């Protein structure tokens, strides 16, 4: 149990377009979901924390108007990269916490390439 | 796909005892691996990465290509080491799909 999926697994888009990435907890309800970004040769960087039904909490330096997060249900959170630019090219990874547990279950990641 | 597995969900050791958290990887190429730690009610933080070969908070991890392992070790566990530990692959250029370890909860018994 405790499987987290992400869709798409990879996406290539043109500069200026928006891209939506979905994160789903397949077999449990996730009270909290996290969005991370990983640049080449670097560690995971937390972008934001989202709780179902409330606004996401963004880390310092992460533009909330650029990275729109919606956590509309207990099994789905979406990250939309608006007006993407080549510097947004990265690996985006989500994780989900099951209610009452202090454990994160990670998705397989989404590789975004902006041309 | 780059996949790592952590066979132990729970691990308890006594304070002062050595601790080893196991991590195995199963992909070819040049793996780049990280250990992350999450203390209770805190966010995930990087503990160490294999290419740096440094020791953080007394923890070390060596990449063993023969055994395809990246076990995290500490010679003398402290109570403050109690936390969740995640072994994680790095997204190599051109690769998709990362499979993180499911985490090991370490409890250090006083």
């Amino acid at each position: 149990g405790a499987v987290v999926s992400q869709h798409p697994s990879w996406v290539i888009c043109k500069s200026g377009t928006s891209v939506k990435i979905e994160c789903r907890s397949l077999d449990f309800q996730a009270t909290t979901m996290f969005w991370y970004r990983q640049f080449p040769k670097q560690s995971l960087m937390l972008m934001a924390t989202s709780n179902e039904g409330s606004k996401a909490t963004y880390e310092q330096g992460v533009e909330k108007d650029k990275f729109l997060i919606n956590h509309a249900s207990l099994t789905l959170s979406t990250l939309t990269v608006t007006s993407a630019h080549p510097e947004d090219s990265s690996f985006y990874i989500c994780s989900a916490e099951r209610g009452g547990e202090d454990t994160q279950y990670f998705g397989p990641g989404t590789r975004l390439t902006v041309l | 796909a780059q996949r790592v597995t952590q066979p132990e969900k729970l691990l308890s050791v006594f304070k002062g005892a050595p601790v080893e958290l196991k991590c195995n990887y199963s992909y070819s190429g040049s793996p780049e691996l990280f250990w992350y730690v999450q203390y209770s009610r805190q966010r995930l933080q990087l503990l160490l990465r294999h290419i740096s070969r440094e020791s953080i908070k007394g923890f070390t991890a060596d990449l063993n290509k023969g055994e395809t392992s990246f076990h995290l070790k500490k010679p003398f566990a402290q109570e403050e080491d109690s936390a969740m530990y995640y072994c994680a692959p790095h997204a190599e250029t051109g690769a998709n799909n990362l499979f993180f370890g499911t985490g090991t909860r370490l409890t250090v018994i006083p």
Side-chain angles (χ1 to χ4, degrees):
Chain A
V3 178
V4 175
S5 70
Q6 282 184 240
H7 177 80
S9 56
W10 60 270
V11 57
I12 300 172
C13 69
K14 292 183 179 180
S15 186
T17 60
S18 294
V19 175
K20 180 188 283 188
I21 302 170
E22 291 185 351
C23 176
R24 291 182 186 273
S25 56
L26 298 184
D27 51 2
F28 67 100
Q29 293 186 327
T31 51
T32 304
M33 287 184 169
F34 302 88
W35 285 97
Y36 297 88
R37 182 167 52 183
Q38 187 174 37
F39 290 109
K41 306 298 182 185
Q42 296 187 26
S43 63
L44 291 176
M45 286 174 42
L46 180 65
M47 299 176 66
T49 303
S50 78
N51 293 292
E52 184 265 340
S54 61
K55 290 184 179 180
T57 303
Y58 289 81
E59 294 300 299
Q60 194 170 15
V62 178
E63 300 175 57
K64 60 182 179 182
D65 293 331
K66 182 170 180 63
F67 298 100
L68 300 177
I69 291 173
N70 185 286
H71 193 161
S73 77
L74 284 172
T75 59
L76 173 64
S77 176
T78 59
L79 168 68
T80 302
V81 183
T82 62
S83 187
H85 291 284
E87 56 265 30
D88 299 323
S89 298
S90 185
F91 215 84
Y92 291 86
I93 298 155
C94 75
S95 71
E97 270 188 4
R98 187 156 47 186
E101 290 187 25
D102 200 7
T103 302
Q104 292 190 42
Y105 300 95
F106 288 88
T110 296
R111 180 177 294 283
L112 170 64
T113 302
V114 184
L115 302 177
Chain B
Q2 289 134 300
R3 185 185 298 269
V4 298
T5 54
Q6 291 177 253
E8 304 147 323
K9 283 187 72 79
L10 303 170
L11 180 65
S12 295
V13 299
F14 286 101
K15 177 182 175 181
V19 60
E20 180 180 76
L21 292 98
K22 292 184 168 54
C23 172
N24 291 93
Y25 65 92
S26 57
Y27 56 94
S28 59
S30 300
E32 190 163 340
L33 296 159
F34 299 80
W35 275 101
Y36 294 91
V37 60
Q38 185 174 19
Y39 300 102
S40 181
R41 289 185 290 279
Q42 294 185 29
R43 61 191 57 177
L44 198 75
Q45 54 185 284
L46 176 66
L47 183 60
L48 55 81
R49 55 190 300 183
H50 89 274
I51 62 170
S52 64
R53 301 187 66 79
E54 56 187 340
S55 173
I56 304 292
K57 299 184 179 182
F59 285 97
T60 58
D62 288 319
L63 186 68
N64 186 321
K65 291 187 176 182
E67 296 180 359
T68 60
S69 67
F70 187 54
H71 302 330
L72 184 69
K73 300 177 183 179
K74 184 169 182 176
F76 308 103
Q78 303 298 315
E79 288 179 67
E80 55 266 28
D81 296 328
S82 295
M84 277 294 294
Y85 292 82
Y86 298 92
C87 183
H90 176 269
E92 290 182 304
T93 302
N96 295 326
N97 291 334
L98 302 178
F99 292 94
F100 284 73
T102 50
T104 298
R105 182 173 298 283
L106 173 66
T107 301
V108 180
I109 304 165

